[in-house]
Amino acid sequence: MSTQILKNVLFGSAALLLTAACGAQEEAQSQASSATAAKADDQAKMDDQAKVNDQAMVSSSKTTKSPLFQATFDRVQQQVDAELDAEIIVPFPADAGGGYTHEQHKRNYKTIYNAGNLFRLTGEQKYADHVSKLLLAYAEMYPTLPLHPKKKEQTPGKLFWQSLNEAMWLVYAIQGYDAVQDSLPEETQTIIERDVFREVASYLSDGQPQTFNKIHNHGTWATAAVGMTGYALDDQEMVEKALLGLDKSGEYGFLKQLDELFSPDGYYSEGPYYQRFALLPFVVFAQEVEKNEPERKIFEHRDGVLLKAIDTIVHLSYNGIFFPINDAIKEKGLTTPELNFGLAAAYDFTKDPAYLSMAAYQNTVLLNDTGLEMAKAIDAGKAEPFPFKTMQLGDGRDGDRGALAIMRSGMGMTDQTVVVKNTTQGMGHGHFDKMALLVYDNGGEILSDYGAARFLNVVDKYGGHYLPENNLYAKQTIAHNALVVDETSHFDGKLAKAEEHHPDVLLFDEAANIAITTARMDEAYEGVGFSRTVAQVTLPSLDQPIILDIVRTEAEGQHQYDLPIHYQGQITKVSFPYTAEDQNSRALGADNGYQYLWKTAEANLADAFNQLTWLNKDRFYTYSFLAPSNSKGIFTRLGANDPDFNLRNETGFILRQQGKSDSVFVSVL
Amino acid sequence: MSTQILKNVLFGSAALLLTAACGAQEEAQSQASSATAAKADDQAKMDDQAKVNDQAMVSSSKTTKSPLFQATFDRVQQQVDAELDAEIIVPFPADAGGGYTHEQHKRNYKTIYNAGNLFRLTGEQKYADHVSKLLLAYAEMYPTLPLHPKKKEQTPGKLFWQSLNEAMWLVYAIQGYDAVQDSLPEETQTIIERDVFREVASYLSDGQPQTFNKIHNHGTWATAAVGMTGYALDDQEMVEKALLGLDKSGEYGFLKQLDELFSPDGYYSEGPYYQRFALLPFVVFAQEVEKNEPERKIFEHRDGVLLKAIDTIVHLSYNGIFFPINDAIKEKGLTTPELNFGLAAAYDFTKDPAYLSMAAYQNTVLLNDTGLEMAKAIDAGKAEPFPFKTMQLGDGRDGDRGALAIMRSGMGMTDQTVVVKNTTQGMGHGHFDKMALLVYDNGGEILSDYGAARFLNVVDKYGGHYLPENNLYAKQTIAHNALVVDETSHFDGKLAKAEEHHPDVLLFDEAANIAITTARMDEAYEGVGFSRTVAQVTLPSLDQPIILDIVRTEAEGQHQYDLPIHYQGQITKVSFPYTAEDQNSRALGADNGYQYLWKTAEANLADAFNQLTWLNKDRFYTYSFLAPSNSKGIFTRLGANDPDFNLRNETGFILRQQGKSDSVFVSVL
């Protein structure tokens, strides 16, 4: 891209944005048909992986059974058969997450669940007997179990360190039991139901009201577990408690969670990582409700919000990986097992062939009727590309507490994607990153979000918990592509205050060649308001869309403004002079996350127009920005004050304006 | 792995090695049949990509044409057809590698080559005419061209900055011309032959004797280009010069290069990156020799060394990527276009179906008869897994100047692989890393080699040349997993001295559960000799093979010994206390590559037994080592004194013994 074009874009940006904002609505309508045509073209770009999978499956469509279903069946049967011959191991609880007893109890509930499915499919009694043996071993131990020795303070479990895992155990185990129940002697049923399922369900409901009645994903797991147990044991009282709360008032419980936790667009305020996790109990319990009490029309509840949530979680991804906003393990994505259940439920109700391409991408299906139906449809080549698109997802119960903006240059999984986080805080796992920007292109991150500082299930890393650096760095504003005022985080890093406020979305619109959003935040800092406008613009003269970013501040006193970008790649060109820290590198600050950044170089920016270029895979990315007088550029690398090697040593660049009240940052990527 | 097992392994290592060394030979024979059985099992692990490709291809085997061939044809035809309508652009040479005129002349020779192939396949005159138009444009310009304005000192070109690119231009262009020649008017042929091909060939031979007569890959490109031109123009004099040198004595030229450049095992002393590059002209010219003068039996020359070289280059890879020893761009691997030609030639002569799986992995074939034959065979499911295996490749003309040891835990592309570089220096692109160790597992690098410090074709990075940091860091010993004495590099970083010597390989052997090599080097340092024994050992009690590494030094005076490991991953556990540089990080040294390393932490190692564990993808790797008294552990990160951001910020750990004459480093990974 020539410098001249960029300058025109930058200096003409105000006019462009005005035009775009006013014209977008009409243009959107008049361009609708041509946009549809363009999008049809884009379908051709649909991600390679899915295509390859599709092809591989289509190739075997002549076999009578479905190869995809058969492959899943074989894999699961092999696992379970290996367990049949081995000793039953139900250890006395001792270890925290990732430890031996924790993992063994997890293995056991999966075996119970899988053996139940195999019994249903094959009718072989050995599978039912194995479920029975395992559950009888639990029946011997569970009734006298104390709280777990490594218990988490607020939410202890008995088999596991936290009751969340106990609820997961029950969600899976009750499904396995439900499948084999009728084939077991009545006496066995009595023992198992009395000493295992009623015990666990009682502990998770009456024994843990603070969790059971909580409007939170832990509450969803608990209510789903107890409700499903109620259906399996024909105990309507248990079901009612699960649906309506312990007091059956409807003020708590599963239905209330469905009302509160998702926005009307199906967005979950904790973000995609937890949405994926919360979705499983919502989906499996809802399917049981539908089966046992169809008159509740659970899937139509709130305009079908549950189906929307399933659809939305797929949209909340790039190249198969979820947007890592808030506390998120960055590797998680569309192949996560939780989504198997979600896609199956969504396909079951809608028969939308786009879900088939996602199931093909997962390369596995559920071992039940829906799974078989999906596998056959995939094998028969009926999958269609999932229609990724530009969209805004409203946040909050009524969808009016901010929004997540997603702008895509095409329908493919790897087309350029821009995300602006104009959402609420997202509760305790939220990050202090109002109006943060994420950019993806060419299959990977270009401007990235750190995600959570956590090594899940790595015992040597703080027991697999969130690391101290999660609060101290990952949640802090400087860890994001978001404005920092006076080296302090938004809302001074205080959760309660952050929960009260959200950005006001002033604009979100799209037309054929532009998508744009503007949001404003006045409460993140005392006396400083700021707005951010981000636009993805396709110019005929350029191969790739450009991203225009304007951050504007208004304040009374003088402040320091830092706008960081966390770029992924190797710097190839810097248009301005700077001084590198060659022999000696120092931490950039003392607090609010700054203490973790090494300063690697610094520039006094005299020129108005500056460019920073880096290489990522086979593409160059140039960050072009206007630097007002008295501004600085600071190059950083993560890793200072990190004696335990807990952080990834990522790179960043901070554009800093000092002693300003009002200011504007204008940049183009 | 329990600490106790490891301790046993470490302290029992001497006995184990003795047994292994003595028993390996007999054991190898007695275990031969069971090893074969085990390897048959391993075939099942054969890399997924190839499988998916195979499946996709097999699925379409019913179509009359070959889908793989057709796909390649379509892709090339689309490219060339787009050019047919566009203006002929033959710019006056101006830019260095990566610049506009450089890239345009590259595009042109590919178009000439591809259009020639399309003419042969379709008979459509428009393709011949396009070749003619392009070559006539060159005919107008070339005879009066001066040397390139950005010329490289030793080897200037005219169209390109270096004559190497000019030779590449000729190798491709002559093939395109050869295909269409007979369809062009005689007058046109005369002009093109006189003003283009004879001019370029004359410049590359008589005009550049220093390159043409050089025993080096640049010489191979030049002789191949001129020799192929000789055959195409029926000029036997040109052919003779190419084969036997300018004076036709046989002291220089293509045949001499074939004698000198490859070892009897087909190993090229510059390493795989350059072997791949050098292979293309060897292969395409040899095929012309075979076609025009079969009596020369060129493919049987030196026991079929050329076919061995093709086979060897595939073995010199892990998970599709070449071992990045010496100056190597790390991304290069089996999908490189140069290898298309090599695999086609190898398949043509041997019909070995293992080459088909490699061609399937490349997902492309040549647009000629061999390519069609291969594509049909692949479509028909005839591809067989390439038999990756443990092997030693002798280096040097007679195979007695050191060797490259490759130890693999299985036949798959991603089975654990250990490489020990007991080879010669490898000429000007060689690194000072005698007996360096590389470890791969689970699809990626575990102990890595930096490769070359170069951004190929990135003009903003030193014009795409090797960066200054290539000599100053990447070639230095500390940049490798190799012993450094007194913070100076092997042979004091002097090429001439390094070329004289090579490690003595004392042992290389393998049996069912162990592969082992020992080499010794006495000339890398004045007065200090050292040996390294590396073994890949499969223990029944462990899932993965362990790697045992013993470095032993003998010297008279006192010295400092550094044994670095460049690990890939995130540290999760350190068994010994250390002091991190929290606020302030300093460069580790002043010279020989040490100036580029930040010291991030340091430990005084009091205990005899230490462990360092890191996480890479979903596996943990523990480096367990014996630390004698007075030793230190130093954690490093690359990037000090790197104001231009030219280096990747990789991590390392140095085990340092000070004030020692004789010492032993024993470690297990």
Side-chain angles (χ1 to χ4, degrees):
Chain A
M1 188 190 297
S2 85
T3 301
Q4 192 52 47
I5 294 180
L6 266 184
K7 281 191 182 166
N8 289 343
V9 170
L10 277 172
F11 293 112
S13 60
L16 174 70
L17 286 181
L18 200 64
T19 318
C22 303
Q25 197 76 35
E26 299 87 294
E27 205 183 344
Q29 290 180 311
S30 74
Q31 302 270 350
S33 58
S34 68
T36 309
K39 284 190 179 172
D41 282 354
D42 284 348
Q43 292 210 3
K45 294 186 202 161
M46 186 67 190
D47 130 86
D48 286 346
Q49 181 60 40
K51 267 194 208 155
V52 170
N53 285 344
D54 285 354
Q55 260 183 296
M57 284 153 201
V58 172
S59 71
S60 313
S61 61
K62 292 137 291 176
T63 58
T64 46
K65 283 185 182 170
S66 156
L68 174 57
F69 191 79
Q70 188 66 41
T72 307
F73 179 86
D74 290 346
R75 192 166 58 235
V76 170
Q77 190 177 43
Q78 200 169 28
Q79 281 164 16
V80 173
D81 283 357
E83 302 256 339
L84 292 187
D85 301 330
E87 203 187 342
I88 296 281
I89 303 173
V90 176
F92 198 82
D95 304 323
Y100 166 71
T101 67
H102 181 95
E103 292 300 319
Q104 182 59 34
H105 289 300
K106 275 174 69 178
R107 231 187 322 272
N108 285 345
Y109 74 62
K110 283 177 193 159
T111 301
I112 294 169
Y113 171 77
N114 284 326
N117 278 332
L118 290 174
F119 176 73
R120 210 176 246 143
L121 289 165
T122 66
E124 291 184 51
Q125 189 61 30
K126 65 179 180 184
Y127 295 118
D129 290 346
H130 193 69
V131 170
S132 166
K133 268 189 232 167
L134 272 165
L135 289 173
L136 286 172
Y138 277 99
E140 252 176 61
M141 180 174 76
Y142 199 89
T144 58
L145 273 187
L147 292 186
H148 193 282
K150 298 268 171 65
K151 62 178 186 270
K152 281 203 166 183
E153 292 129 44
Q154 303 302 316
T155 56
K158 290 182 170 181
L159 291 173
F160 298 93
W161 63 335
Q162 58 175 341
S163 63
L164 170 64
N165 298 103
E166 205 107 338
M168 292 169 74
W169 187 95
L170 186 53
V171 163
Y172 281 92
I174 193 65
Q175 293 181 75
Y177 175 70
D178 194 34
V180 307
Q181 188 174 9
D182 295 342
S183 79
L184 302 181
E186 208 145 302
E187 195 189 350
T188 306
Q189 291 185 40
T190 307
I191 297 173
I192 289 174
E193 294 182 11
R194 185 190 62 213
D195 293 344
V196 184
F197 290 116
R198 286 187 189 278
E199 285 281 337
V200 182
S202 160
Y203 176 67
L204 290 174
S205 53
D206 299 312
Q208 290 256 309
Q210 71 283 19
T211 302
F212 194 80
N213 277 346
K214 201 173 177 184
I215 306 303
H216 182 275
N217 79 66
H218 291 202
T220 310
W221 278 97
T223 53
V226 170
M228 290 169 75
T229 305
Y231 284 128
L233 271 49
D234 267 335
D235 183 334
Q236 190 62 22
E237 172 77 7
M238 240 189 241
V239 173
E240 300 276 318
K241 279 186 181 174
L243 289 170
L244 304 169
L246 284 178
D247 63 0
K248 296 187 277 183
S249 67
E251 287 301 297
Y252 312 101
F254 189 81
L255 293 177
K256 189 71 178 178
Q257 287 162 3
L258 206 46
D259 288 342
E260 297 282 340
L261 287 178
F262 295 104
S263 79
D265 291 331
Y267 181 78
Y268 184 73
S269 66
E270 290 191 287
Y273 176 74
Y274 279 95
Q275 176 154 353
R276 151 209 70 95
F277 183 65
L279 211 52
L280 192 151
F282 272 116
V283 166
V284 293
F285 185 35
Q287 286 185 301
E288 288 301 310
V289 174
E290 180 72 14
K291 203 167 76 184
N292 289 281
E293 301 182 74
E295 64 278 11
R296 287 196 190 264
K297 300 194 172 173
I298 187 96
F299 280 102
E300 286 156 57
H301 193 76
R302 281 187 78 203
D303 269 340
V305 72
L306 200 45
L307 294 172
K308 277 187 198 158
I310 298 167
D311 202 62
T312 294
I313 186 71
V314 180
H315 281 291
L316 291 168
S317 69
Y318 179 80
N319 199 14
I321 302 293
F322 295 130
F323 304 144
I325 54 182
N326 295 333
D327 282 348
I329 304 295
K330 289 189 86 165
E331 295 77 21
K332 284 278 179 191
L334 299 178
T335 56
T336 180
E338 289 90 348
L339 210 53
N340 297 348
F341 294 90
L343 290 172
Y347 183 74
D348 215 12
F349 275 78
T350 65
K351 306 294 177 200
D352 184 339
Y355 294 121
L356 296 176
S357 67
M358 287 297 108
Y361 180 77
Q362 295 191 324
N363 204 17
T364 186
V365 288
L366 294 185
L367 284 183
N368 59 19
D369 291 345
T370 306
L372 181 60
E373 184 187 335
M374 291 177 81
K376 284 192 165 172
I378 292 167
D379 293 342
K382 291 186 184 156
E384 285 183 15
F386 190 88
F388 290 100
K389 64 185 180 200
T390 294
M391 56 166 54
Q392 173 166 259
L393 297 166
D395 193 5
R397 194 215 181 292
D398 299 314
D400 57 0
R401 302 197 67 222
L404 192 78
I406 308 172
M407 312 183 208
R408 299 196 192 249
S409 69
M411 278 181 68
M413 280 181 121
T414 60
D415 286 325
Q416 192 199 79
T417 300
V418 179
V419 179
V420 190
K421 193 188 172 223
N422 298 328
T423 65
T424 62
Q425 182 68 16
M427 303 192 273
H429 291 297
H431 287 197
F432 298 94
D433 60 347
K434 299 298 108 181
M435 288 129 70
L437 174 68
L438 285 80
V439 176
Y440 295 91
D441 189 40
N442 203 14
E445 294 178 311
I446 304 305
L447 296 186
S448 63
D449 189 293
Y450 191 85
R454 179 185 195 184
F455 292 85
L456 189 65
N457 290 338
V458 177
V459 176
D460 287 332
K461 284 296 193 190
Y462 206 63
H465 299 258
Y466 287 101
L467 294 162
E469 288 81 4
N470 193 53
N471 280 331
L472 297 171
Y473 178 72
K475 282 188 178 178
Q476 301 297 322
T477 309
I478 191 67
H480 304 82
N481 305 305
L483 182 77
V484 187
V485 179
D486 298 332
E487 293 187 35
T488 58
S489 286
H490 297 169
F491 305 104
D492 210 18
K494 301 280 189 293
L495 177 60
K497 206 175 151 204
E499 282 283 305
E500 285 171 27
H501 304 283
H502 58 82
D504 291 317
V505 177
L506 305 177
L507 171 72
F508 178 84
D509 220 330
E510 66 165 321
N513 295 314
I514 185 167
I516 184 168
T517 186
T518 299
R520 183 181 172 95
M521 186 85 232
D522 287 317
E523 302 87 359
Y525 292 103
E526 191 78 27
V528 182
F530 60 99
S531 69
R532 183 170 212 161
T533 296
V534 177
Q536 185 185 44
V537 183
T538 304
L539 297 176
S541 57
L542 298 174
D543 286 346
Q544 303 291 331
I546 59 169
I547 299 154
L548 186 62
D549 179 28
I550 302 179
V551 176
R552 210 179 271 273
T553 70
E554 282 169 36
E556 292 198 353
Q558 296 217 328
H559 297 279
Q560 174 187 291
Y561 301 115
D562 282 353
L563 188 64
I565 56 166
H566 299 270
Y567 64 89
Q568 295 279 346
Q570 185 93 25
I571 288 180
T572 57
K573 196 173 185 183
V574 181
S575 76
F576 46 88
Y578 59 92
T579 309
E581 306 283 332
D582 281 350
Q583 299 282 342
N584 208 317
S585 190
R586 282 168 210 284
L588 182 60
D591 210 349
N592 301 317
Y594 282 75
Q595 69 272 33
Y596 295 104
L597 296 168
W598 294 116
K599 185 169 84 173
T600 56
E602 182 172 318
N604 288 311
L605 298 170
D607 282 337
F609 184 76
N610 300 279
Q611 293 190 311
L612 177 65
T613 302
W614 64 91
L615 178 65
N616 184 307
K617 286 186 240 163
D618 53 349
R619 288 192 191 160
F620 293 94
Y621 299 87
T622 297
Y623 182 69
S624 304
F625 56 96
L626 297 179
S629 60
N630 210 8
S631 63
K632 277 187 179 173
I634 300 166
F635 294 83
T636 64
R637 189 177 46 238
L638 198 51
N641 288 293
D642 181 25
D644 296 329
F645 305 100
N646 281 343
L647 296 168
R648 300 189 302 271
N649 300 134
E650 300 186 345
T651 48
F653 176 77
I654 299 172
L655 181 55
R656 173 171 288 183
Q657 300 192 17
Q658 278 170 312
K660 300 277 177 163
S661 51
D662 298 354
S663 74
V664 184
F665 293 85
V666 181
S667 57
V668 169
L669 182 67
Chain B
M1 189 187 298
S2 83
T3 301
Q4 193 51 47
I5 294 181
L6 265 184
K7 280 189 182 166
N8 290 344
V9 170
L10 276 173
F11 292 111
S13 61
L16 175 69
L17 286 182
L18 200 64
T19 317
C22 304
Q25 197 75 35
E26 299 87 294
E27 206 182 343
Q29 288 180 312
S30 76
Q31 301 270 352
S33 57
S34 69
T36 310
K39 285 190 178 172
D41 281 355
D42 285 347
Q43 292 211 3
K45 294 184 199 160
M46 187 68 191
D47 130 86
D48 287 346
Q49 180 59 41
K51 267 194 206 154
V52 170
N53 285 343
D54 286 353
Q55 260 183 296
M57 285 152 200
V58 172
S59 71
S60 313
S61 61
K62 291 138 292 179
T63 58
T64 45
K65 281 187 184 170
S66 155
L68 175 57
F69 191 80
Q70 188 67 41
T72 308
F73 178 87
D74 291 346
R75 194 166 58 236
V76 170
Q77 191 178 40
Q78 200 170 25
Q79 281 164 15
V80 174
D81 283 358
E83 303 257 337
L84 292 187
D85 303 329
E87 203 186 340
I88 296 281
I89 304 173
V90 175
F92 198 81
D95 304 324
Y100 167 69
T101 67
H102 181 94
E103 292 300 320
Q104 182 60 34
H105 289 299
K106 275 174 69 178
R107 230 187 324 273
N108 284 346
Y109 75 62
K110 284 177 192 160
T111 301
I112 293 169
Y113 170 77
N114 284 325
N117 278 332
L118 290 174
F119 176 72
R120 210 176 245 146
L121 289 165
T122 65
E124 291 184 50
Q125 189 61 31
K126 65 180 179 184
Y127 295 119
D129 290 346
H130 193 68
V131 170
S132 163
K133 269 190 232 168
L134 271 166
L135 289 173
L136 286 172
Y138 278 99
E140 251 176 61
M141 180 174 77
Y142 199 88
T144 57
L145 273 188
L147 292 186
H148 193 281
K150 296 268 170 65
K151 63 177 184 270
K152 281 202 166 183
E153 291 130 43
Q154 303 302 318
T155 54
K158 289 181 170 183
L159 290 173
F160 297 94
W161 62 336
Q162 58 175 342
S163 63
L164 171 64
N165 297 103
E166 205 107 336
M168 292 169 75
W169 187 95
L170 186 52
V171 163
Y172 281 93
I174 194 66
Q175 293 181 76
Y177 175 68
D178 193 35
V180 306
Q181 189 176 7
D182 295 340
S183 79
L184 303 181
E186 208 145 304
E187 195 188 350
T188 307
Q189 291 185 41
T190 306
I191 296 171
I192 289 173
E193 294 182 10
R194 185 190 62 213
D195 294 344
V196 183
F197 288 116
R198 286 187 187 279
E199 284 281 337
V200 181
S202 158
Y203 176 66
L204 289 174
S205 52
D206 299 312
Q208 290 256 311
Q210 71 282 20
T211 301
F212 194 79
N213 277 347
K214 202 172 178 183
I215 307 302
H216 183 275
N217 80 65
H218 291 203
T220 310
W221 279 97
T223 53
V226 171
M228 290 169 75
T229 305
Y231 283 128
L233 271 51
D234 268 334
D235 184 334
Q236 191 61 23
E237 171 76 6
M238 241 188 239
V239 173
E240 298 277 320
K241 278 186 182 174
L243 289 171
L244 302 170
L246 284 179
D247 62 1
K248 294 187 277 181
S249 67
E251 286 301 298
Y252 313 103
F254 188 81
L255 293 177
K256 189 72 178 175
Q257 287 163 3
L258 206 46
D259 289 340
E260 297 281 340
L261 288 177
F262 294 104
S263 80
D265 291 331
Y267 181 78
Y268 184 74
S269 66
E270 290 191 288
Y273 177 74
Y274 278 95
Q275 176 154 353
R276 153 209 68 95
F277 183 66
L279 211 52
L280 192 149
F282 271 116
V283 166
V284 294
F285 184 34
Q287 287 185 300
E288 288 300 311
V289 174
E290 180 73 13
K291 203 167 75 183
N292 289 280
E293 302 181 73
E295 64 278 12
R296 287 195 189 265
K297 300 194 171 171
I298 187 95
F299 280 102
E300 287 157 56
H301 193 75
R302 282 187 76 204
D303 268 338
V305 70
L306 199 45
L307 294 172
K308 277 188 198 157
I310 297 167
D311 202 62
T312 294
I313 186 73
V314 180
H315 281 290
L316 290 168
S317 69
Y318 179 80
N319 199 13
I321 302 294
F322 295 130
F323 304 143
I325 53 181
N326 294 333
D327 282 348
I329 303 298
K330 290 188 84 165
E331 294 78 20
K332 284 280 177 190
L334 299 178
T335 56
T336 180
E338 289 89 349
L339 210 53
N340 296 347
F341 293 91
L343 291 172
Y347 183 75
D348 216 11
F349 274 79
T350 65
K351 306 296 177 197
D352 184 340
Y355 295 121
L356 296 176
S357 67
M358 287 297 109
Y361 180 78
Q362 295 193 322
N363 203 15
T364 186
V365 288
L366 293 185
L367 283 183
N368 59 21
D369 290 345
T370 305
L372 181 59
E373 185 189 335
M374 292 178 79
K376 284 192 165 172
I378 291 167
D379 293 342
K382 291 188 185 155
E384 285 183 14
F386 189 87
F388 289 101
K389 65 184 179 201
T390 294
M391 56 166 54
Q392 173 166 259
L393 297 167
D395 193 5
R397 192 215 183 290
D398 300 314
D400 57 359
R401 303 196 68 221
L404 192 79
I406 308 172
M407 311 183 211
R408 297 193 192 251
S409 69
M411 278 181 68
M413 281 180 120
T414 60
D415 286 324
Q416 192 199 79
T417 300
V418 179
V419 179
V420 191
K421 194 189 171 219
N422 299 328
T423 64
T424 62
Q425 182 69 15
M427 302 192 271
H429 290 298
H431 288 197
F432 298 93
D433 60 348
K434 300 299 107 182
M435 289 130 67
L437 174 69
L438 286 80
V439 176
Y440 295 91
D441 189 41
N442 202 14
E445 295 180 310
I446 305 306
L447 297 186
S448 63
D449 189 293
Y450 192 84
R454 180 184 193 183
F455 292 85
L456 190 66
N457 289 339
V458 177
V459 175
D460 287 332
K461 284 295 192 191
Y462 206 62
H465 300 256
Y466 287 100
L467 294 161
E469 289 80 5
N470 192 55
N471 281 331
L472 296 171
Y473 178 71
K475 282 188 179 177
Q476 302 297 321
T477 309
I478 191 66
H480 305 83
N481 305 306
L483 183 77
V484 187
V485 179
D486 298 331
E487 293 189 35
T488 58
S489 287
H490 296 168
F491 305 104
D492 211 17
K494 301 279 189 293
L495 177 61
K497 207 175 149 205
E499 282 282 306
E500 285 171 27
H501 304 284
H502 59 82
D504 291 317
V505 178
L506 305 177
L507 171 72
F508 178 83
D509 218 331
E510 67 165 319
N513 294 315
I514 185 168
I516 185 168
T517 186
T518 299
R520 183 180 173 95
M521 186 87 233
D522 287 317
E523 301 88 356
Y525 292 105
E526 191 78 25
V528 183
F530 60 100
S531 71
R532 184 169 212 163
T533 296
V534 177
Q536 186 185 44
V537 183
T538 305
L539 297 177
S541 57
L542 299 173
D543 285 346
Q544 302 291 332
I546 59 169
I547 300 154
L548 186 61
D549 178 29
I550 302 178
V551 176
R552 211 179 269 275
T553 68
E554 282 169 36
E556 291 195 357
Q558 296 216 327
H559 297 279
Q560 174 186 293
Y561 301 115
D562 282 355
L563 187 65
I565 56 166
H566 299 269
Y567 65 88
Q568 295 278 346
Q570 185 94 22
I571 288 180
T572 57
K573 195 173 185 182
V574 181
S575 75
F576 48 87
Y578 59 92
T579 310
E581 307 283 332
D582 282 349
Q583 299 282 343
N584 208 317
S585 191
R586 283 169 209 284
L588 182 60
D591 210 350
N592 302 317
Y594 282 75
Q595 70 273 31
Y596 294 104
L597 295 168
W598 293 115
K599 184 169 84 173
T600 56
E602 182 172 317
N604 290 309
L605 298 170
D607 281 337
F609 183 76
N610 300 278
Q611 294 191 309
L612 177 66
T613 301
W614 64 92
L615 178 66
N616 184 309
K617 286 187 239 162
D618 54 350
R619 287 191 191 160
F620 293 95
Y621 298 88
T622 297
Y623 181 68
S624 304
F625 55 95
L626 296 179
S629 62
N630 212 9
S631 62
K632 278 186 178 174
I634 300 166
F635 294 83
T636 65
R637 190 178 46 239
L638 199 50
N641 287 292
D642 180 26
D644 296 329
F645 305 100
N646 281 343
L647 296 168
R648 299 189 302 271
N649 301 133
E650 300 186 345
T651 48
F653 176 77
I654 300 172
L655 182 54
R656 172 172 289 182
Q657 301 192 18
Q658 279 171 314
K660 300 276 179 165
S661 50
D662 298 353
S663 73
V664 183
F665 293 85
V666 181
S667 57
V668 168
L669 183 68

